[in-house]
Amino acid sequence: MAKLSPSILGCDYLRLEDTTKILESVGTDMLHLDVMDGQFVPNMSFGVPVIDSIKKHTSIPLDIHLMIDRPLRYIEDFAPYADWLGFHFEAGSDVDQTLDVIKNAGCKTCLTIKPKTAPEEIFKYLPKCDMVLVMSVEPGFGGQGFMPEAVERIKTLKAEIIRQGLETLIEVDGGINNTTGKLCVEAGADVLVVGSFLFKAEDLAKQAKEFLEM
Ligand code: DX5
Ligand code: ZN
């Protein structure tokens, strides 16, 4: 069974406290927080103040997905809140150095690739990655359709992680529902980020429970 990391990007932000309580009660494994700067991606979301409030109201481990340009500049700002701190391979910071700074700050590292980046490009960084995040949509917006090529990309990374004898987890993000989620898990994904499929449902608790039981 894969771990569930709900993305709150599409939730009602005035109801964040209830939302996190519901997700906590169904036993979600992590909470996925999408930070967008309007530069690396053509959209903006939230930053440290919102994450600070979330952290005060939940014990769910936080899985922060930085979609920001030159993320190294901000690692120390987000690290106090993050259990998992992820940034993009394509975002213009030195990858080795950024992974080291995240590790030294006491967080688990997560290196993320956009749909058009070849998985082979990050093979050499895998020993420093606690997790890799395979984007199955172009980052920036929730509610997009799953790109089926992600399945092969997950398989390629899984084979390499096994070949190198590592325990790096594979997370997948974008267009995940019970059908696409199953395909990803069969391909080797360990963590599923789920946004619209949960938050567009009438009953969040019921939908999350059903997803966890799938
Ligand atoms: C997109 C974000 C995702 C998004 C997922 O750039 O990284 O985490 O919220 O939402 P869905 O599940 O709707 O694709
Ligand atoms: Zn995300």
Side-chain angles (χ1 to χ4, degrees):
M1 181 58 211
K3 294 185 194 304
L4 172 62
S5 192
S7 159
I8 58 151
L9 187 63
C11 79
D12 177 347
Y13 288 82
L14 283 185
R15 298 192 52 219
L16 258 179
E17 191 175 357
D18 295 347
T19 303
T20 50
K21 289 276 169 293
I22 291 172
L23 292 171
E24 211 169 284
S25 73
V26 299
T28 183
D29 303 277
M30 311 173 186
L31 194 62
H32 186 84
L33 303 176
D34 291 299
V35 177
M36 305 182 183
D37 66 351
Q39 294 288 322
F40 180 69
V41 289
N43 195 12
M44 291 190 224
S45 57
F46 49 78
V48 167
V50 171
I51 295 179
D52 180 57
S53 301
I54 294 172
K55 184 81 184 170
K56 288 187 182 128
H57 292 280
T58 185
S59 57
I60 309 173
L62 302 186
D63 164 31
I64 300 183
H65 176 191
L66 298 178
M67 282 165 272
I68 63 177
D69 211 26
R70 291 176 292 144
L72 183 54
R73 299 175 295 160
Y74 291 101
I75 297 302
E76 279 167 16
D77 293 330
F78 288 97
Y81 307 100
D83 292 85
W84 300 84
L85 187 49
F87 66 99
H88 272 266
F89 169 74
E90 308 86 354
S93 283
D94 183 86
V95 173
D96 266 317
Q97 196 187 349
T98 309
L99 289 168
D100 290 343
V101 173
I102 293 175
K103 208 16 111 209
N104 291 337
C107 307
K108 293 192 178 109
T109 57
C110 177
L111 182 58
T112 304
I113 51 171
K114 297 205 309 185
K116 293 197 181 84
T117 301
E120 290 77 5
E121 292 206 55
I122 63 164
F123 280 3
K124 67 172 177 183
Y125 302 112
L126 288 175
K128 282 190 182 179
C129 299
D130 294 302
M131 184 154 82
V132 287
L133 169 52
V134 175
M135 290 305 299
S136 41
V137 297
E138 282 298 335
F141 299 91
Q144 306 181 72
F146 177 78
M147 298 169 81
E149 311 86 277
V151 172
E152 275 311 306
R153 297 153 56 70
I154 292 168
K155 284 187 189 160
T156 303
L157 279 164
K158 189 70 174 188
E160 183 62 17
I161 288 165
I162 293 171
R163 198 190 67 77
Q164 292 191 30
L166 303 170
E167 284 177 10
T168 307
L169 299 180
I170 300 180
E171 180 175 47
V172 57
D173 180 8
I176 301 295
N177 55 35
N178 42 9
T179 312
T180 57
K182 226 172 251 159
L183 293 175
C184 294
V185 172
E186 282 162 13
D190 305 286
V191 183
L192 302 173
V193 176
V194 187
S196 330
F197 183 70
L198 293 178
F199 289 96
K200 290 244 155 71
E202 255 167 51
D203 184 337
L204 171 63
K206 187 163 165 267
Q207 188 86 329
K209 249 186 240 153
E210 279 174 16
F211 194 90
L212 279 164
E213 283 158 9
M214 127 192 143

